[in-house]
Amino acid sequence: MSTAMGPIALPDWAWERAEVREALRARDMGAVFRFIQQYSGASQARIAAAAGMTQARVNEVINGHREVSRLAVYERIAEGLLMPDAARHVLGLAAGREAKQSGAAFDLAAFPEVVRVYAEQASAAEEIRENARRAEELDILAVRGLGLIGLNGSLLRSACLPREQGSGLRVRVALLDPDGDALGQRAAEIGESPESLAGGVRLAEARLRELRAEGRDVTAFRYGMLPTWRLIRADDTLFVGAFDAGWEGHTSATYKVMATPHGPLFRGFRRMFDAIVAGAQRTV
């Protein structure tokens, strides 16, 4: 329990809520202060004391009449709210002073892994294309892959075109087994017939065979598990979305994950893809 004039402590789960993280990402301190009031019961005066501000200033921020723009003020707010390092990173701040001094955690701002979050794949489309154009390796984990590589106008189809100076691109694509039980379950989740979904997978495989027949280094595999992750890896950059009931992968929030010396996410997702391919049936 914090003292009347000391920092304000929130439970860890409060900082992990999606709406709080979105407010931090947008640097909407008015929303952050309102969440502080909601989850801690703190008054405007109490928030002001913790953040080194006046109550009048806090009131203006909460009501949208003034914005916080100075880094020093963000730092005071973060310290006064005992903001954990994960929340500080979303806000764009380095790790807290105590973490740096103790060595308990490295500075997430200096060693980013999740470097950007997009509302959906369409928002990241141009960046995905650009990374794929420069890549030497392209891995794709999808359900049927038509929107990614299976059609002429697909997001990544152009990345497979011939390149200058003979440089090539190795492409591996893992698609849901059209003959497996998981496909029927996935079809039910999205309100589509198994025949339609399976037909989409087979069409994508046929179009990938065309690329291979043209001399492209393309291989395709069928996996049998219920799809969870949707991955696009272009060398050391990974774009990650998710599948859920009634939720298509391209409409999922898309995380841009970079390989770093200490980050487990990129390594874990790449290892998962390699394991899926190792246990899958090759079709192309």
Side-chain angles (χ1 to χ4, degrees), residues 15 20 22-37 47 51 53 57-58 60-64 66-70 73-78 81 83 87 91 93:
W15 294 110
V20 176
E22 183 58 35
L24 291 169
R25 187 173 294 108
R27 289 193 160 183
D28 183 352
M29 302 316 294
V32 172
F33 287 162
R34 290 193 293 274
F35 288 127
I36 296 300
Q37 291 179 308
I47 294 173
M53 303 169 69
R57 180 64 56 85
V58 170
E60 289 177 333
V61 172
I62 287 176
N63 289 290
R66 186 182 291 268
E67 296 182 353
V68 175
S69 58
R70 293 174 55 203
V73 179
Y74 286 119
E75 285 283 2
R76 286 207 313 268
I77 292 171
L81 301 180
M83 195 176 291
L91 186 59
L93 302 178

Side-chain angles (χ1 to χ4, degrees), residues 15-270:
W15 294 110
E16 295 169 0
R17 292 186 67 88
E19 60 269 27
V20 176
R21 291 176 64 83
E22 183 58 35
L24 291 169
R25 187 173 294 108
R27 289 193 160 183
D28 183 352
M29 302 316 294
V32 172
F33 287 162
R34 290 193 293 274
F35 288 127
I36 296 300
Q37 291 179 308
Q38 176 182 350
Y39 296 128
S40 73
S43 65
Q44 291 184 10
R46 178 74 182 82
I47 294 173
M53 303 169 69
T54 65
Q55 181 179 348
R57 180 64 56 85
V58 170
N59 181 272
E60 289 177 333
V61 172
I62 287 176
N63 289 290
H65 301 311
R66 186 182 291 268
E67 296 182 353
V68 175
S69 58
R70 293 174 55 203
L71 180 61
V73 179
Y74 286 119
E75 285 283 2
R76 286 207 313 268
I77 292 171
E79 291 185 9
L81 301 180
L82 297 179
M83 195 176 291
D85 283 346
R88 291 176 62 97
H89 179 53
V90 176
L91 186 59
L93 302 178
R97 185 179 303 128
E98 291 183 4
K100 291 179 181 178
Q101 292 174 345
S102 68
F106 58 77
D107 185 346
L108 292 178
F111 297 92
E113 189 174 15
V114 178
V115 297
R116 196 164 184 182
V117 182
Y118 297 89
E120 57 184 6
Q121 179 186 285
S123 303
E126 187 51 43
E127 189 164 359
I128 294 172
R129 286 194 195 95
E130 185 58 32
N131 276 269
R133 288 189 197 107
R134 300 193 306 263
E136 296 180 359
E137 296 180 345
L138 183 62
D139 288 338
I140 299 170
L141 176 62
V143 169
R144 57 188 138 194
L146 291 176
L148 291 177
I149 199 169
L151 300 174
N152 288 346
S154 298
L155 179 64
L156 298 171
R157 191 81 177 187
S158 62
C160 298
L161 296 177
R163 301 184 178 187
E164 296 180 358
Q165 299 177 345
S167 60
L169 171 69
R170 188 215 67 182
V171 182
R172 297 186 297 174
V173 184
L175 304 175
L176 186 59
D177 185 351
D179 299 317
D181 294 338
L183 182 130
Q185 186 174 347
R186 180 57 186 166
E189 286 183 340
I190 60 176
E192 187 173 338
S193 71
E195 294 77 14
S196 174
L197 185 54
V201 175
R202 293 190 175 96
L203 173 59
E205 289 176 340
R207 298 305 309 277
L208 292 172
R209 290 189 192 97
E210 292 174 4
L211 288 175
R212 188 165 184 85
E214 295 169 1
R216 313 292 190 271
D217 185 3
V218 174
T219 52
F221 305 84
R222 292 180 177 180
Y223 66 90
M225 69 185 70
L226 187 68
T228 301
W229 298 108
R230 190 173 197 259
L231 307 181
I232 302 168
R233 182 183 71 83
D235 292 343
D236 290 336
T237 303
L238 182 67
F239 295 89
V240 184
F243 299 102
D244 201 356
W247 185 354
E248 290 278 28
H250 69 275
T251 62
S252 162
T254 298
Y255 292 76
K256 181 181 179 182
V257 181
M258 302 290 293
T260 67
H262 307 288
L265 293 179
F266 182 92
R267 293 168 184 261
F269 280 122
R270 182 168 185 175

